[in-house]
Amino acid sequence: MKATIEPSTRSSEGANPAAPTPGEAVSQPMNVSSNQSTGGKPSGNKPVARKRSRSGNEWFGKTYTMICVSVLIITIFSIVYFVASKGLATFFVNGVSLKEFLTGVKWAPDGEPQTFGALPFITGSFMTSILAACISAPLAFCAAIFMTELMPKFGKTVMQPVIELLAGIPSVVYGFVGLSVIVPFLRSVFPGQGLGIAAGAIVLSIMILPTITTIATDAMSNLPRGLKEGSYALGATRWQTISRSILPAVLPAMLTGVVLGIARAFGEALAVQMVIGNAPHIPNSLFESASTLTSVITLSMGNTIMGTVQNNVLWSLALMLLTMTFVFIFIVRVLERRSLR
Amino acid sequence: MAIAAPSISSAGASTQPGGGAALAAEQLSIFYSDKEAVKKVDLSFAPSSVTALIGPSGCGKSTFLRSLNRMNDTIASASMKGSIWLDGEDINAPGTDVVTLRQRIGMVWQKPNPFYKSIYENIAFGPRYHGIKNKKELNEIVESCLRRTALWEETKDRLHQSALALSGGQQQRLCIARALSVQPEILLMDEPASALDPVSTAKIEELISELKQEFCIVIVTHNMHQAARVSDKTAFFYMGNLIEHNDTNIIFTNPENKQTDDYISGRFG
């Protein structure tokens, strides 16, 4: 707390002599310094002591904050640099063509000849996360409407904590449940092994449900009360009020929630890997074994040696994930800016 | 059914010719859980007139106002006793269509509450729900409502921009225009100018004087001067009771009740 408050007072004080503000603002620092010069007298002692301890605090707070911030910045940049240098080495050192990497459909790093087509993983990742969002978003929106508009009391005391609890379950548990419940179910209903995009998407949809629900609920409960009353007063029914005046108002926030949900699904590795089957090809149906960017990284990283092309190409996949995360964050920023208007 | 307009303390309840409908509350009590916020109020409103409800904060005047178009239905803990008559019909009778009722009795709030939509859509919102789909007809409604609230000249070039980009005073006039869009007979206003600057306030007051020709207007206000300027009748509420109801000039010059006199001259409240 001290560290965050002190620098701000310090900076405002430091700004005063520099800015030509009239009157008191300028005269105050001058008074303090004149006290300091007459520090020998007993009457001047107290202000001087206070000034010293304050500047000591200032110094400590400022340094502490600077250290923390620089550690953070250095960490972030080194991660990005590390992933990027390793990932780009595939193309610049090992000479794999970027076109083959992005559009090739055959993945055989140990084959003869070696091929590095990552398209199956890219499509797998996009399909699972977008499908998961398609399943999850309607559920989350309805849950949010239910919790804020229809049964606020039950929603706040029971439903919201339960949905938030979903966020705390470890992903290995989700994967295990998916493997023991969803996969056999899909196997018995649809043709195929049950492992595949559909199973992955269902597991992910439950994992991202809390993200979307929480954001949608917050947006709805933060709406001005007058908005709803204004609609009722014009003779609109409850459903008309929800669909025509509340939903348009929270739409940007809801889209933000969906994008964050997709981002989370995109980066999830373990649970997906357990239920998707991990076959390195583009599946013909949703119930056929497939792979994602994350699942192929977790599966292959133990079997490669640092510095080899097989290892570097995994870093290229990681770089791809990192880039996509940046894109998602950028989209969220744009949506937020629009909702402020 | 005959109009059960109670004549107690309402010096001029005789209905005047003109637009609007007659509205009357009879022995109306409103409760929040156990707390009685409005106590057995008898008050009637004549067509084509402006009635100001004044009184210190928490005296029940806003609660009373909200009960007139059943906005208190949206508050779970609120309940009421007594009746409210609109043209001789009890608005709380079991068969009453709340949607039609609220169309006949429009409302404007203290804080402007435009929808997160364009200026055009804000006004077209109500008529659409009451079955008007024709684009031309909607355009006409939007234009006439904006003209009546003196917003047309300021907004005609940006009808399809967000209503939230308007200034506070413009937003409030937009909300009044929105209330007019469903052709109500009675307009309830809950401190419509208290969040506005003097210029916007003057515009709103001017608007109220014009709308008076066609509507019965009930306005809650904390501003004594405003009550004196715009209203024909004034009702003074205190602690949930209706203390005095009379012609505005009588209330402000020669009130019968000592409490009214004290409140108006600023000695309490």
Side-chain angles (χ1 to χ4, degrees), chain B residues 138-155:
Chain B
L138 281 175
N139 288 343
E140 279 167 14
I141 291 175
V142 170
E143 184 177 341
S144 78
C145 288
L146 287 175
R147 277 192 193 283
R148 283 160 89 183
T149 50
L151 261 179
W152 178 252
E153 291 302 321
E154 294 159 51
T155 58

Side-chain angles (χ1 to χ4, degrees), chain A residues 224-227 229-235 237 240 244-245 249, chain B residues 66 71 74-75 99 102 109 113-117 125 129-130 178:
Chain A
R225 181 174 165 72
L227 193 70
E229 294 198 323
S231 173
Y232 283 132
L234 286 171
T237 60
Q240 287 169 337
R244 300 299 297 274
S245 111
Chain B
R66 289 168 56 90
M71 284 310 289
T74 59
I75 299 172
V99 170
R102 290 190 184 142
W109 282 263
N113 54 353
F115 300 134
Y116 289 39
K117 292 164 177 265
F125 184 91
Y129 281 134
H130 298 291
R178 188 178 68 188

